[in-house]
Amino acid sequence: MYRQDFPILGREVYKRPLIYFDNAATTQKPRCVVEAIDEMYYNVNANVHRGVHYLSQKATDLHEGAREKVRAFINARSTAEVLFTRGTTESLNLVAFSFSEAFLKAGDEVILTVMEHHSDIVPWQLVRDRKDIVIKVIPMNDRGDLDLEAFKALLNDRTRLVCCCHVSNVLGTVNPVKEISRLAHEAGAYVLVDGAQSVPHFPVDVQDIDCDFLTFSGHKIYGPTGIGVLYGKEELLNKMPPYQGGGEMISRVTFEKTTYERLPYKFEAGTPDYVGSYALGVALDYVQSIGMNKISALEHDLTQYAMERMREVEGIRFFGESAQKTSVVSFNVADIHPMDLGTLLDRLGIAIRTGHHCAQPLMQRCGVEGMARVSFALYNTREEIDAFIEALQRVVRMF
Ligand code: C6P
């Protein structure tokens, strides 16, 4: 129904119609987003926040207008709480650096989950090297649900922060972040939610979850690459030092001393990606014109249907069968290497992801080196899933 909005879906690969099932890695872009980028460069382009001239003011209005769209989209209290970054990874690194500078000392504990993406593991290991903190990990059961009892047992008066992906990019599990947030706050700890795989798929309300930080990437929600968001509670951001220094983030500079800009600019050194922010705003308008609840229902139906049909394939093993699951299906078939599956499906025009999905600790937990993964977006169809099953059966027969 929405396919005509995405020109790339009309192309062929290897003379076959493209079936794009790698949406958790990045989504395709609707025409309105591509046109927004064109429009910005053709008609508006000028550096923001600096010029008194017409174009600079126009570009600034569009950039700040996009910030307000993001604020409304995640229901942040104020635009001071919405920081533009390069993406989830940069947002997570920003928190790891600045939060740890302000709040962490040797012996303090940060809790992660076993299903975190490397982007939410490695920055904390860098902090551990610098600050001698302790990292603890929430385990999960075999269905891919976090063990909340084990989580409660990990919390203590040294816990400063709990970091949890809202949706696992491997298992598709939707984690109970509101409950996790409540428990963490009761224990006196802060909460970071990695929303890279949730914000594109269902409504996310930071005030309802009551998380202290939320991260997401523009390119996974039909927006451009190179732009992302960090939401942070104003009170916390005010206490955290800047992540990078440079233009934009200062109030006054002398060689003796620098004072910083107010939020959110304190964390936005250098010329921001105002083309990206504007186009991200257009992407958010696009998904809202469809409705996040509708997108969620559509993708839920696709996921259920895909799993039902995939069960027909002999030797299939799913990773992640939580009752709370969304739009990501990881699997292996018998002892076929996932890379072989991915390569052969690709020759049949079907794009899937294979490998460790940037979650090697989770691969170890599941006892595998890698997995194949299909992930859906609002433009995928049941017919594409049928074609995928036929292709998968064909590939499996070859082994
Ligand atoms: N996951 C995937 O194929 P960036 O690369 O900064 O936009 O997002 C990083 C990231 C962080 N957290 C989660 C839960 C993610 O899924 C991702 C990106 C992609 O699964 C690329 S590895």
Side-chain angles (χ1 to χ4, degrees), residues 22-26 86-92 115-120 165-170 194-198 215-220 226-228 328 353 356-359 373 375:
D22 195 16
N23 295 287
T26 198
R86 283 194 300 126
T88 304
T89 302
E90 191 176 52
S91 299
L92 292 168
M115 59 182 84
E116 288 318 290
H117 187 278
H118 293 166
S119 293
D120 203 19
C165 57
H166 199 170
V167 171
S168 160
N169 68 317
V170 176
D194 172 359
Q197 300 291 353
S198 62
T215 59
F216 71 93
S217 298
H219 70 96
K220 292 190 200 289
I227 187 85
V328 175
R353 179 151 184 207
H356 55 62
H357 307 327
C358 299
R373 181 187 76 183
S375 52

Side-chain angles (χ1 to χ4, degrees), residues 12-25:
E12 297 188 332
V13 290
Y14 308 115
K15 300 203 170 97
R16 290 169 183 275
L18 168 69
I19 295 182
Y20 186 77
F21 281 174
D22 195 16
N23 295 287

Side-chain angles (χ1 to χ4, degrees), residues 179-216:
E179 171 76 351
I180 287 171
S181 207
R182 190 181 64 76
L183 292 167
H185 287 154
E186 268 174 25
Y190 296 110
V191 176
L192 178 152
V193 173
D194 172 359
Q197 300 291 353
S198 62
V199 174
H201 299 290
F202 51 83
V204 173
D205 179 330
V206 290
Q207 293 192 60
D208 179 53
I209 298 168
D210 195 25
C211 54
D212 299 288
F213 301 103
L214 176 93
T215 59
F216 71 93

